[in-house]
Amino acid sequence: MDVTLTANADGHVAGVGEQLTTYGGQVKVQAAVRGVPVGTVSFHTDRGKVHRASLPGDGAGVVQWNTTAKESMFVRIEVRHPNRDVAALTNPIILV
C-alpha cells in the first residue's frame, strides 16, 4: 500500500507533517492511494470529516478536495478498507 497527501496553494506545496502558508488563497489538497481495492479516502480537518470518496476496484486512485486556511486549520486523511477497518492514517498538513 502507498499513500501520499499534499496541499498546494499558489505554487507552494506541503506534505504530511509540514506547514503551508496560503496567503489567504485556495488550497488544493490531493491524496494518492494504491493498494486498497474498493476502499474509501476521507479528508478530516478541525471541523471533522469534510469529504469522502471511494477508490476503484484496483485500489489505485487520486482524490482532490479544495479548502482555505480560514475554513480549515489542518487537513489529514484516513484510508479504510471496505469493511471499514483502517488501512492508513496520515498526520496533518497545517494551513496558515
Side-chain angles (χ1 to χ4, degrees):
M1 186 178 75
D2 185 44
V3 176
T4 304
L5 177 65
T6 58
N8 184 322
D10 196 28
H12 298 85
V13 179
V16 172
E18 297 180 333
Q19 180 173 297
L20 178 64
T21 302
T22 68
Y23 302 101
Q26 191 77 13
V27 179
K28 180 174 88 173
V29 185
Q30 182 173 300
V33 179
R34 286 186 298 153
V36 186
V38 195
T40 60
V41 177
S42 57
F43 290 75
H44 299 257
T45 72
D46 50 302
R47 297 180 291 141
K49 187 187 304 183
V50 293
H51 182 67
R52 181 176 177 263
S54 296
L55 294 168
D58 68 1
V62 175
V63 181
Q64 265 187 211
W65 177 70
N66 294 322
T67 190
T68 64
K70 184 175 181 179
E71 295 171 346
S72 307
M73 294 172 59
F74 66 86
V75 62
R76 66 176 185 83
I77 62 167
E78 293 181 7
V79 181
R80 293 187 179 264
H81 293 286
N83 66 1
R84 298 190 181 183
D85 285 348
V86 174
L89 302 170
T90 68
N91 283 328
I93 299 172
I94 306 300
L95 306 177
V96 295

